[in-house]
Amino acid sequence: EYSLCKASTLWSIPDATPEYVGLRVSALTACAMLEQTGKLRRGETVLITAAAGGAGHFAVQFAKMAGCTVIGTCGSAQKAKILQALGC
C-alpha cells in the first residue's frame, strides 16, 4: 500500500523493525486522542484506562509532558509499578 506524503511529515528510522511499527500506531493514536479529541491542557487531571498497554503508556507520558496530573488504570501489580515509574 502506498500514499503520497510531504517529506516533513515523515520520520527517518535506522531499521524497519516491529518496534517502529508499534511506535507509529500506538504513539500517534495516544497523541491524536489527547491533543485533537481531548484538547489536553496543562494542569488538567487525566484518567487513562489500560494505561500500561500499547497506546496507554504513551498517553501517560504525553499527558505528563503536557503538565497534567495523570491517573492510570491497569490490571496487575507489575503493571502498576511500571505506571508509577512513568509518574502515574
Side-chain angles (χ1 to χ4, degrees), residues 5-11:
C5 302
K6 291 182 179 182
S8 63
T9 65
L10 302 175
W11 297 332

Side-chain angles (χ1 to χ4, degrees), residues 1-2 4 7-9 22-23 31 36 41-43 46 48-49 55-58 69-70 72 78 81 83 86:
E1 184 175 323
Y2 296 93
L4 183 62
S8 63
T9 65
L23 175 67
C31 185
Q36 300 297 316
R41 299 288 178 258
R42 178 175 290 284
V46 180
I48 299 172
T49 58
H57 81 279
F58 284 111
T69 299
V70 181
Q78 180 182 11
K81 286 182 183 180
L83 294 178
L86 292 176

Side-chain angles (χ1 to χ4, degrees), residues 4 14-15 19 24 27 30 38 42 45 66 82:
L4 183 62
D15 293 304
E19 293 83 8
R24 180 176 179 256
R42 178 175 290 284
T45 298
I82 292 167

Side-chain angles (χ1 to χ4, degrees), residues 2-85:
Y2 296 93
S3 63
L4 183 62
C5 302
K6 291 182 179 182
S8 63
T9 65
L10 302 175
W11 297 332
S12 177
I13 59 173
D15 293 304
T17 60
E19 293 83 8
Y20 288 108
V21 174
L23 175 67
R24 180 176 179 256
V25 174
S26 298
L28 290 178
T29 297
C31 185
M33 293 304 102
L34 290 172
E35 292 182 359
Q36 300 297 316
T37 304
K39 307 292 187 213
L40 190 66
R41 299 288 178 258
R42 178 175 290 284
E44 292 182 320
T45 298
V46 180
L47 171 65
I48 299 172
T49 58
H57 81 279
F58 284 111
V60 168
Q61 293 174 76
F62 291 151
K64 292 297 290 183
M65 287 173 43
C68 296
T69 299
V70 181
I71 301 168
T73 66
C74 63
S76 73
Q78 180 182 11
K79 290 178 180 180
K81 286 182 183 180
I82 292 167
L83 294 178
Q84 287 174 335

